[in-house]
Amino acid sequence: MLNINNGPELRNEINLIINRISNELINEFGKSKDEAMDLINRSEVEASLIKDKMGFHESPYNWAISILTEHNDYEALEKYLDH
C-alpha cells in the first residue's frame, strides 16, 4: 500500500474500506485473501481514494463489482450474481 502523509485518520479509513472490499471479494465472490488483495492493489483502490474521497461513499460490495469488472473476471461475477 502507498505511504501517504494525509494523517492517521485517512490511513485508518483507507485500511478499513480496503479490508471491507477484500471481505466482499472473499465472501461474495469466492476469492482467496491473496487474490482479493492482488485485485485491490492492481486496481489502485488506495490511490483512487486519496485522489477522490467520494469513493468512501461507495459500498464495499460496489467496489468489489467494479474491481471484478475492471479485471474482466466475468466468471466470478456470473457465478455469484446469478444466484
Side-chain angles (χ1 to χ4, degrees):
M1 293 191 194
L2 296 174
N3 185 8
I4 59 171
N5 294 320
N6 292 335
E9 297 85 14
L10 181 59
R11 164 64 33 223
N12 289 338
E13 290 297 319
I14 289 171
N15 288 341
L16 183 62
I17 196 158
I18 286 175
N19 286 333
R20 289 179 177 169
I21 295 167
S22 175
N23 287 337
E24 290 292 335
L25 289 167
I26 294 166
N27 297 326
E28 294 296 324
F29 299 98
K31 298 298 181 185
S32 70
K33 180 71 173 175
D34 288 338
E35 289 173 318
M37 292 309 295
D38 180 56
L39 286 167
I40 290 167
N41 288 332
R42 289 188 336 197
S43 295
E44 299 181 356
V45 170
E46 186 171 345
S48 177
L49 290 168
I50 292 169
K51 182 178 178 183
D52 184 3
K53 307 229 180 347
M54 290 301 293
F56 287 103
H57 296 284
E58 287 295 326
S59 73
Y61 186 80
N62 286 345
W63 270 103
I65 290 172
S66 176
I67 289 167
L68 292 170
T69 302
E70 176 184 344
H71 293 286
N72 300 318
D73 193 342
Y74 301 117
E75 182 180 336
L77 290 167
E78 288 174 1
K79 184 177 178 182
Y80 293 94
L81 293 177
D82 283 343
H83 69 282

